Amino acid sequence: MKRTGAQIIWECLIKEGVEVVFGYPGGTILPAYDAMLDYPSVHHVLVRHEQGGTHMADGYARASGKVGVAFATSGPGATNMVTGIATAMMDSSPIVCITGQVGSSLVGLDAFQETDVTGVTLPITKHNYLVTRVEDIARTIREGFYIAKSGRPGPVLMLINSAKRPVILAGHGVLQSSAMQVLKDFAEKAQIPVAMSLLGIGGLPANHPLNLGMMGMHGEAWVNHAIQQADLLLAFGMRFDDRVTGNVKTYAPKAKKIHIEIDPSELNKVVKVDVALVGDLREVLNEVLPLVAVGDREEWIEHINEMKGDSAVRDIQNLPDTGHLYAAHVINDLWRYTEGEALICTDVGQHQMWTAQYYKHNKPFKLITSGGLGTMGFGLPSAIGAKFAKPNAEVWAISGDGGFQMTAAELSTAAQENIKVNVAIINNGYLGMVRQWQEFFYDKRYAATPMKSPDFVKLAEAHGLTGIRVTQRSQVESAIRQARETEGTVVIDFRVEKEDSVYPMVPAGADLHNMIRRPMPKKPLNESLKHEEEMEFAK
């Protein structure tokens, strides 16, 4: 029985197990949308901007482990997807984007809403196609899904067994290869502490005694010091991003380096390693684990704990309740009141780093954030996508006032779909992370970072949703409780301290151990902490 090209698209998607797509119709994609009505098993989510659609597909993919699908028309519809495609590519998130194109007889003639989409997206995709014949549609979709799901989504023992001060660097690949259990088994058997990248958070429970916490530019101080003092680094499914390494020339200078990575192009690209292993992380670790000796590294672990001290809670303690609302308090309270069980999607900026520091994840796939590209506007739409993937999960989007406004129109998507996503806006009246850099490195010359925002409570209400404003810490608990108990999406506007900064911070290009620490408070909170604070800030 003959099928039109549009019918073939939907039947192929159904065969691939697609249940939901995120899209925005337009002229050249209309045949596909017309055919969609005959395939009600696929739920279509009408987004408000094509960038939001790709972020939703991305959030769906990261939360479900399946391929996310986004639709757009030709020309500006397709080019509006570019940021979302690049975001997914940088973080190896499997999405398939289907766009319309002008008729094949008009390709190359600068017809209305024609853009060379394959040319535009070639550097930011694993593969792309220009389909001009109906008979190629089914094969192309099958290949596209296969490519999206495969590969990078991408002397050893004597080095490991003889190391005195080893550290495992756990990246996004731990989650993507479902290597969480074998990572835990490996670390426990060899007694090697584990440092997490931003996207690796959740690969090992936060409360595990071998989990050191996050490394890198805004990582924990003791983690960065441990890496710099290590004699062996075991890089598991991570790319040695510049936000992790700092100055590559002085990065872990005493350490041998073993890198396990599914994408061979990442090996020796940034950091030269002593041993490179290409393959799926879970498969490689399962082969190596039986051959690794049982470790006794109590002295090394005790040394790291001495560097750590009690500074894990020091930043919170140094932010007293003086009438000001601090972002660290908000996120730490959110973690406590949700018992660490919420699925958190973030935008990019200060709030993203505070979330990584103060919302502790003991389970995988509970933190969805833009790592490699650092895409503002990612938080809300990715949370909507994640909610479709995990309809029974408690989903929170944590955004800054700047990033939230980039895709705030997707509140209408949440309202139209009647889904439950809670939105926490960390509103400090600035483009916060840029302002922090201006404070540290540009003598507080705040050029184009003070930001006026709409009334977010009224904005939520304009979309038919609930809005709440919080200005004091005493209001945080009741606001979170109200948001959790209210049906539909809720927006909370947390008016936090304007010029607070994320600590510690490794300046771009600086040595990893050269961190900017929180300044010594003028008055200690109490006498019992005074000596400890002086010792900590003297380090």
Side-chain angles (χ1 to χ4, degrees), residues 26-86:
T28 62
I29 197 84
L30 272 182
Y33 271 86
D34 182 67
M36 178 184 74
L37 298 177
D38 297 326
Y39 298 91
S41 64
V42 180
H43 179 71
H44 179 272
V45 177
L46 176 62
V47 304
R48 296 311 187 264
H49 191 280
E50 292 87 353
Q51 178 181 342
T54 51
H55 289 333
M56 290 181 201
D58 190 345
Y60 178 91
R62 300 194 203 201
S64 67
K66 301 177 181 178
V67 176
V69 181
F71 272 62
T73 193
S74 63
T79 58
N80 280 348
M81 298 178 107
V82 167
T83 298
I85 294 171

Short mmCIF file of all heavy atoms in Angstrom, two decimals, residues 26-86:
data_model
loop_
_atom_site.label_atom_id
_atom_site.label_comp_id
_atom_site.label_asym_id
_atom_site.label_seq_id
_atom_site.Cartn_x
_atom_site.Cartn_y
_atom_site.Cartn_z
N GLY A 26 4.99 25.17 10.17
CA GLY A 26 5.23 26.24 9.21
C GLY A 26 4.98 25.70 7.82
O GLY A 26 4.69 24.51 7.62
N GLY A 27 5.12 26.57 6.82
CA GLY A 27 4.69 26.24 5.48
C GLY A 27 5.26 24.95 4.92
O GLY A 27 4.52 24.07 4.47
N THR A 28 6.59 24.79 4.93
CA THR A 28 7.17 23.64 4.25
C THR A 28 7.02 22.34 5.01
O THR A 28 7.19 21.26 4.44
CB THR A 28 8.67 23.88 3.98
OG1 THR A 28 9.36 24.03 5.22
CG2 THR A 28 8.88 25.11 3.12
N ILE A 29 6.71 22.40 6.31
CA ILE A 29 6.53 21.18 7.09
C ILE A 29 5.05 20.83 7.25
O ILE A 29 4.69 19.83 7.86
CB ILE A 29 7.19 21.33 8.49
CG1 ILE A 29 7.40 19.97 9.18
CG2 ILE A 29 6.39 22.25 9.40
CD1 ILE A 29 8.63 19.27 8.79
N LEU A 30 4.16 21.65 6.63
CA LEU A 30 2.72 21.43 6.79
C LEU A 30 2.25 20.05 6.35
O LEU A 30 1.37 19.46 7.00
CB LEU A 30 1.93 22.51 6.04
CG LEU A 30 1.63 23.79 6.83
CD1 LEU A 30 0.81 24.75 5.98
CD2 LEU A 30 0.89 23.47 8.12
N PRO A 31 2.78 19.46 5.26
CA PRO A 31 2.33 18.11 4.91
C PRO A 31 2.53 17.10 6.05
O PRO A 31 1.68 16.25 6.28
CB PRO A 31 3.18 17.76 3.69
CG PRO A 31 3.48 19.09 3.07
CD PRO A 31 3.67 20.03 4.23
N ALA A 32 3.65 17.23 6.75
CA ALA A 32 3.90 16.33 7.87
C ALA A 32 2.91 16.58 9.00
O ALA A 32 2.43 15.64 9.65
CB ALA A 32 5.33 16.49 8.36
N TYR A 33 2.58 17.85 9.24
CA TYR A 33 1.63 18.15 10.31
C TYR A 33 0.23 17.70 9.93
O TYR A 33 -0.54 17.25 10.79
CB TYR A 33 1.67 19.65 10.62
CG TYR A 33 2.70 19.99 11.68
CD1 TYR A 33 4.03 20.21 11.33
CD2 TYR A 33 2.37 20.03 13.02
CE1 TYR A 33 4.99 20.49 12.29
CE2 TYR A 33 3.31 20.32 14.00
CZ TYR A 33 4.62 20.54 13.63
OH TYR A 33 5.56 20.80 14.60
N ASP A 34 -0.13 17.83 8.67
CA ASP A 34 -1.45 17.36 8.24
C ASP A 34 -1.57 15.85 8.44
O ASP A 34 -2.58 15.36 8.95
CB ASP A 34 -1.68 17.72 6.77
CG ASP A 34 -3.05 17.28 6.30
OD1 ASP A 34 -4.05 17.84 6.79
OD2 ASP A 34 -3.11 16.37 5.45
N ALA A 35 -0.52 15.12 8.09
CA ALA A 35 -0.55 13.67 8.26
C ALA A 35 -0.54 13.27 9.73
O ALA A 35 -1.03 12.19 10.09
CB ALA A 35 0.65 13.05 7.54
N MET A 36 0.01 14.11 10.59
CA MET A 36 0.12 13.81 12.02
C MET A 36 -1.23 13.48 12.64
O MET A 36 -1.33 12.64 13.56
CB MET A 36 0.74 15.00 12.74
CG MET A 36 0.88 14.86 14.25
SD MET A 36 1.54 16.37 15.02
CE MET A 36 0.09 17.43 14.90
N LEU A 37 -2.30 14.11 12.15
CA LEU A 37 -3.62 13.90 12.73
C LEU A 37 -4.09 12.46 12.59
O LEU A 37 -4.97 12.01 13.32
CB LEU A 37 -4.63 14.85 12.07
CG LEU A 37 -4.36 16.35 12.26
CD1 LEU A 37 -5.40 17.17 11.50
CD2 LEU A 37 -4.35 16.72 13.74
N ASP A 38 -3.50 11.73 11.65
CA ASP A 38 -3.87 10.33 11.45
C ASP A 38 -3.05 9.37 12.30
O ASP A 38 -3.22 8.15 12.20
CB ASP A 38 -3.72 9.95 9.96
CG ASP A 38 -4.63 10.76 9.06
OD1 ASP A 38 -5.76 11.07 9.50
OD2 ASP A 38 -4.22 11.08 7.93
N TYR A 39 -2.16 9.92 13.14
CA TYR A 39 -1.30 9.09 13.98
C TYR A 39 -1.37 9.59 15.43
O TYR A 39 -0.41 10.16 15.97
CB TYR A 39 0.14 9.11 13.46
CG TYR A 39 0.26 8.56 12.06
CD1 TYR A 39 0.15 9.39 10.94
CD2 TYR A 39 0.44 7.19 11.85
CE1 TYR A 39 0.23 8.88 9.65
CE2 TYR A 39 0.52 6.67 10.56
CZ TYR A 39 0.41 7.52 9.47
OH TYR A 39 0.48 7.00 8.20
N PRO A 40 -2.51 9.40 16.06
CA PRO A 40 -2.73 9.98 17.40
C PRO A 40 -1.88 9.36 18.50
O PRO A 40 -1.85 9.88 19.61
CB PRO A 40 -4.23 9.73 17.63
CG PRO A 40 -4.55 8.54 16.78
CD PRO A 40 -3.68 8.67 15.57
N SER A 41 -1.20 8.25 18.24
CA SER A 41 -0.38 7.64 19.29
C SER A 41 0.85 8.48 19.62
O SER A 41 1.46 8.30 20.67
CB SER A 41 0.06 6.24 18.87
OG SER A 41 0.91 6.29 17.73
N VAL A 42 1.22 9.41 18.73
CA VAL A 42 2.33 10.31 18.99
C VAL A 42 1.78 11.64 19.48
O VAL A 42 0.98 12.27 18.78
CB VAL A 42 3.20 10.52 17.74
CG1 VAL A 42 4.35 11.47 18.06
CG2 VAL A 42 3.75 9.20 17.22
N HIS A 43 2.19 12.05 20.65
CA HIS A 43 1.71 13.30 21.23
C HIS A 43 2.61 14.45 20.76
O HIS A 43 3.82 14.40 20.93
CB HIS A 43 1.72 13.24 22.75
CG HIS A 43 1.24 14.50 23.40
ND1 HIS A 43 -0.07 14.91 23.38
CD2 HIS A 43 1.91 15.46 24.09
CE1 HIS A 43 -0.20 16.05 24.03
NE2 HIS A 43 1.00 16.41 24.47
N HIS A 44 2.00 15.47 20.17
CA HIS A 44 2.76 16.63 19.72
C HIS A 44 2.62 17.76 20.73
O HIS A 44 1.53 18.10 21.17
CB HIS A 44 2.26 17.12 18.35
CG HIS A 44 2.98 18.34 17.85
ND1 HIS A 44 2.60 19.63 18.15
CD2 HIS A 44 4.10 18.45 17.08
CE1 HIS A 44 3.43 20.48 17.58
NE2 HIS A 44 4.35 19.80 16.93
N VAL A 45 3.77 18.33 21.11
CA VAL A 45 3.80 19.46 22.04
C VAL A 45 4.11 20.72 21.24
O VAL A 45 5.18 20.83 20.64
CB VAL A 45 4.87 19.24 23.14
CG1 VAL A 45 4.93 20.46 24.05
CG2 VAL A 45 4.56 17.98 23.94
N LEU A 46 3.17 21.65 21.22
CA LEU A 46 3.37 22.91 20.51
C LEU A 46 4.23 23.83 21.35
O LEU A 46 3.80 24.34 22.39
CB LEU A 46 2.03 23.57 20.20
CG LEU A 46 2.12 24.95 19.54
CD1 LEU A 46 2.81 24.86 18.17
CD2 LEU A 46 0.72 25.56 19.40
N VAL A 47 5.47 24.05 20.91
CA VAL A 47 6.38 24.93 21.64
C VAL A 47 6.13 26.38 21.22
O VAL A 47 5.37 26.65 20.29
CB VAL A 47 7.84 24.52 21.38
CG1 VAL A 47 8.04 23.06 21.73
CG2 VAL A 47 8.24 24.77 19.93
N ARG A 48 6.79 27.31 21.89
CA ARG A 48 6.63 28.71 21.54
C ARG A 48 7.82 29.26 20.76
O ARG A 48 7.77 30.36 20.26
CB ARG A 48 6.40 29.55 22.80
CG ARG A 48 5.08 29.20 23.54
CD ARG A 48 3.90 29.17 22.58
NE ARG A 48 2.61 29.02 23.25
CZ ARG A 48 1.98 27.88 23.43
NH1 ARG A 48 2.52 26.74 22.99
NH2 ARG A 48 0.81 27.84 24.03
N HIS A 49 8.87 28.48 20.66
CA HIS A 49 10.04 28.87 19.88
C HIS A 49 10.80 27.58 19.57
O HIS A 49 10.87 26.67 20.41
CB HIS A 49 10.92 29.82 20.69
CG HIS A 49 12.01 30.48 19.88
ND1 HIS A 49 13.19 29.84 19.58
CD2 HIS A 49 12.10 31.72 19.33
CE1 HIS A 49 13.96 30.65 18.86
NE2 HIS A 49 13.32 31.80 18.71
N GLU A 50 11.37 27.52 18.37
CA GLU A 50 12.03 26.28 17.95
C GLU A 50 13.23 25.94 18.83
O GLU A 50 13.56 24.76 19.02
CB GLU A 50 12.46 26.38 16.48
CG GLU A 50 11.30 26.42 15.49
CD GLU A 50 10.77 27.84 15.24
OE1 GLU A 50 11.23 28.78 15.95
OE2 GLU A 50 9.92 27.99 14.35
N GLN A 51 13.90 26.96 19.38
CA GLN A 51 14.98 26.66 20.32
C GLN A 51 14.43 25.91 21.53
O GLN A 51 15.03 24.94 21.99
CB GLN A 51 15.68 27.94 20.77
CG GLN A 51 16.79 27.68 21.80
CD GLN A 51 17.46 28.95 22.28
OE1 GLN A 51 17.36 29.99 21.65
NE2 GLN A 51 18.14 28.88 23.41
N GLY A 52 13.29 26.39 22.02
CA GLY A 52 12.66 25.70 23.14
C GLY A 52 12.32 24.26 22.79
O GLY A 52 12.44 23.36 23.62
N GLY A 53 11.90 24.03 21.55
CA GLY A 53 11.56 22.67 21.12
C GLY A 53 12.75 21.74 21.17
O GLY A 53 12.64 20.59 21.63
N THR A 54 13.91 22.21 20.70
CA THR A 54 15.09 21.34 20.75
C THR A 54 15.55 21.12 22.18
O THR A 54 16.00 20.02 22.53
CB THR A 54 16.25 21.94 19.92
OG1 THR A 54 16.46 23.30 20.30
CG2 THR A 54 15.93 21.89 18.44
N HIS A 55 15.44 22.14 23.05
CA HIS A 55 15.80 21.95 24.45
C HIS A 55 14.85 20.95 25.12
O HIS A 55 15.27 20.16 25.98
CB HIS A 55 15.75 23.27 25.21
CG HIS A 55 16.86 24.22 24.84
ND1 HIS A 55 18.08 23.81 24.37
CD2 HIS A 55 16.92 25.58 24.90
CE1 HIS A 55 18.84 24.86 24.15
NE2 HIS A 55 18.16 25.95 24.45
N MET A 56 13.57 20.99 24.75
CA MET A 56 12.63 20.02 25.31
C MET A 56 12.99 18.60 24.86
O MET A 56 12.95 17.66 25.66
CB MET A 56 11.20 20.37 24.89
CG MET A 56 10.65 21.62 25.55
SD MET A 56 8.94 21.96 25.04
CE MET A 56 8.85 23.71 25.43
N ALA A 57 13.32 18.45 23.58
CA ALA A 57 13.73 17.14 23.08
C ALA A 57 14.99 16.67 23.80
O ALA A 57 15.14 15.48 24.14
CB ALA A 57 13.97 17.21 21.58
N ASP A 58 15.89 17.60 24.07
CA ASP A 58 17.14 17.31 24.79
C ASP A 58 16.84 16.87 26.22
O ASP A 58 17.35 15.84 26.70
CB ASP A 58 18.01 18.56 24.78
CG ASP A 58 19.42 18.32 25.27
OD1 ASP A 58 19.68 17.27 25.88
OD2 ASP A 58 20.28 19.19 25.04
N GLY A 59 16.00 17.64 26.93
CA GLY A 59 15.63 17.27 28.29
C GLY A 59 14.93 15.93 28.35
O GLY A 59 15.17 15.12 29.25
N TYR A 60 14.07 15.68 27.37
CA TYR A 60 13.38 14.39 27.28
C TYR A 60 14.38 13.26 27.12
O TYR A 60 14.29 12.22 27.79
CB TYR A 60 12.40 14.41 26.10
CG TYR A 60 11.66 13.12 25.88
CD1 TYR A 60 10.42 12.90 26.48
CD2 TYR A 60 12.17 12.12 25.06
CE1 TYR A 60 9.72 11.71 26.28
CE2 TYR A 60 11.49 10.93 24.85
CZ TYR A 60 10.26 10.73 25.47
OH TYR A 60 9.58 9.54 25.27
N ALA A 61 15.36 13.45 26.24
CA ALA A 61 16.36 12.42 25.98
C ALA A 61 17.20 12.13 27.22
O ALA A 61 17.45 10.97 27.57
CB ALA A 61 17.26 12.84 24.82
N ARG A 62 17.62 13.19 27.91
CA ARG A 62 18.48 12.99 29.08
C ARG A 62 17.73 12.33 30.23
O ARG A 62 18.31 11.54 30.99
CB ARG A 62 19.07 14.33 29.53
CG ARG A 62 19.92 15.01 28.48
CD ARG A 62 20.73 16.14 29.07
NE ARG A 62 21.12 17.12 28.06
CZ ARG A 62 22.13 17.96 28.19
NH1 ARG A 62 22.86 17.94 29.27
NH2 ARG A 62 22.41 18.84 27.23
N ALA A 63 16.45 12.64 30.37
CA ALA A 63 15.68 12.07 31.47
C ALA A 63 15.23 10.65 31.18
O ALA A 63 15.10 9.84 32.10
CB ALA A 63 14.46 12.94 31.76
N SER A 64 14.98 10.32 29.91
CA SER A 64 14.41 9.02 29.55
C SER A 64 15.43 8.01 29.04
O SER A 64 15.20 6.80 29.11
CB SER A 64 13.34 9.20 28.48
OG SER A 64 13.93 9.63 27.25
N GLY A 65 16.55 8.50 28.50
CA GLY A 65 17.49 7.61 27.84
C GLY A 65 17.09 7.27 26.42
O GLY A 65 17.80 6.52 25.73
N LYS A 66 15.98 7.82 25.96
CA LYS A 66 15.52 7.60 24.59
C LYS A 66 15.96 8.77 23.70
O LYS A 66 16.56 9.72 24.18
CB LYS A 66 13.99 7.48 24.56
CG LYS A 66 13.43 6.36 25.42
CD LYS A 66 11.90 6.37 25.39
CE LYS A 66 11.32 5.28 26.27
NZ LYS A 66 9.82 5.29 26.28
N VAL A 67 15.64 8.68 22.43
CA VAL A 67 15.95 9.77 21.50
C VAL A 67 14.83 10.80 21.55
O VAL A 67 13.65 10.46 21.44
CB VAL A 67 16.12 9.24 20.06
CG1 VAL A 67 16.35 10.38 19.09
CG2 VAL A 67 17.30 8.26 20.00
N GLY A 68 15.19 12.06 21.73
CA GLY A 68 14.21 13.14 21.68
C GLY A 68 14.02 13.62 20.25
O GLY A 68 14.97 13.62 19.46
N VAL A 69 12.81 14.06 19.91
CA VAL A 69 12.49 14.45 18.54
C VAL A 69 11.89 15.85 18.53
O VAL A 69 11.00 16.16 19.33
CB VAL A 69 11.50 13.45 17.90
CG1 VAL A 69 11.18 13.87 16.45
CG2 VAL A 69 12.07 12.04 17.92
N ALA A 70 12.40 16.69 17.62
CA ALA A 70 11.88 18.04 17.46
C ALA A 70 11.60 18.32 15.99
O ALA A 70 12.32 17.85 15.11
CB ALA A 70 12.89 19.06 18.00
N PHE A 71 10.53 19.08 15.74
CA PHE A 71 10.10 19.44 14.38
C PHE A 71 10.17 20.95 14.21
O PHE A 71 9.91 21.71 15.15
CB PHE A 71 8.64 19.01 14.15
CG PHE A 71 8.47 17.61 13.64
CD1 PHE A 71 8.88 16.51 14.39
CD2 PHE A 71 7.88 17.37 12.41
CE1 PHE A 71 8.71 15.23 13.92
CE2 PHE A 71 7.70 16.09 11.93
CZ PHE A 71 8.12 15.01 12.68
N ALA A 72 10.48 21.39 12.98
CA ALA A 72 10.43 22.81 12.64
C ALA A 72 10.27 22.94 11.14
O ALA A 72 10.51 21.99 10.38
CB ALA A 72 11.69 23.53 13.11
N THR A 73 9.88 24.11 10.71
CA THR A 73 9.77 24.37 9.29
C THR A 73 11.13 24.81 8.75
O THR A 73 12.13 24.83 9.46
CB THR A 73 8.69 25.43 9.01
OG1 THR A 73 8.39 25.45 7.62
CG2 THR A 73 9.12 26.81 9.48
N SER A 74 11.17 25.19 7.48
CA SER A 74 12.43 25.58 6.85
C SER A 74 12.85 26.98 7.27
O SER A 74 12.15 27.66 8.03
CB SER A 74 12.28 25.52 5.33
OG SER A 74 11.30 26.47 4.90
N GLY A 75 13.99 27.42 6.75
CA GLY A 75 14.45 28.79 6.96
C GLY A 75 14.62 29.14 8.42
O GLY A 75 15.37 28.48 9.14
N PRO A 76 13.93 30.20 8.90
CA PRO A 76 14.13 30.64 10.29
C PRO A 76 13.71 29.59 11.30
O PRO A 76 14.25 29.54 12.40
CB PRO A 76 13.25 31.90 10.39
CG PRO A 76 12.24 31.75 9.30
CD PRO A 76 12.95 31.05 8.19
N GLY A 77 12.74 28.76 10.96
CA GLY A 77 12.35 27.68 11.86
C GLY A 77 13.50 26.74 12.13
O GLY A 77 13.78 26.36 13.27
N ALA A 78 14.21 26.38 11.05
CA ALA A 78 15.35 25.48 11.19
C ALA A 78 16.53 26.16 11.87
O ALA A 78 17.19 25.59 12.74
CB ALA A 78 15.76 24.96 9.82
N THR A 79 16.81 27.41 11.47
CA THR A 79 17.96 28.08 12.08
C THR A 79 17.73 28.39 13.55
O THR A 79 18.69 28.47 14.33
CB THR A 79 18.32 29.37 11.32
OG1 THR A 79 17.19 30.26 11.31
CG2 THR A 79 18.76 29.07 9.90
N ASN A 80 16.48 28.55 13.96
CA ASN A 80 16.19 28.75 15.38
C ASN A 80 16.54 27.52 16.21
O ASN A 80 16.67 27.61 17.44
CB ASN A 80 14.71 29.09 15.59
CG ASN A 80 14.40 30.54 15.30
OD1 ASN A 80 15.29 31.37 15.16
ND2 ASN A 80 13.13 30.87 15.22
N MET A 81 16.70 26.37 15.56
CA MET A 81 17.05 25.14 16.28
C MET A 81 18.55 25.01 16.54
O MET A 81 18.98 24.15 17.31
CB MET A 81 16.60 23.91 15.48
CG MET A 81 15.12 23.79 15.23
SD MET A 81 14.74 22.33 14.23
CE MET A 81 14.02 21.26 15.46
N VAL A 82 19.35 25.86 15.91
CA VAL A 82 20.80 25.66 15.91
C VAL A 82 21.36 25.62 17.33
O VAL A 82 22.17 24.76 17.66
CB VAL A 82 21.49 26.73 15.06
CG1 VAL A 82 23.00 26.72 15.30
CG2 VAL A 82 21.20 26.50 13.58
N THR A 83 20.96 26.56 18.18
CA THR A 83 21.50 26.60 19.55
C THR A 83 21.16 25.32 20.30
O THR A 83 22.00 24.77 21.01
CB THR A 83 20.96 27.82 20.31
OG1 THR A 83 21.39 29.01 19.64
CG2 THR A 83 21.47 27.84 21.74
N GLY A 84 19.93 24.85 20.15
CA GLY A 84 19.53 23.61 20.83
C GLY A 84 20.27 22.40 20.30
O GLY A 84 20.63 21.49 21.06
N ILE A 85 20.51 22.37 18.99
CA ILE A 85 21.26 21.26 18.40
C ILE A 85 22.70 21.26 18.92
O ILE A 85 23.25 20.22 19.30
CB ILE A 85 21.24 21.35 16.86
CG1 ILE A 85 19.81 21.14 16.34
CG2 ILE A 85 22.19 20.33 16.24
CD1 ILE A 85 19.65 21.44 14.85
N ALA A 86 23.32 22.45 18.93
CA ALA A 86 24.70 22.54 19.42
C ALA A 86 24.79 22.17 20.89
O ALA A 86 25.76 21.53 21.33
CB ALA A 86 25.24 23.96 19.20
#
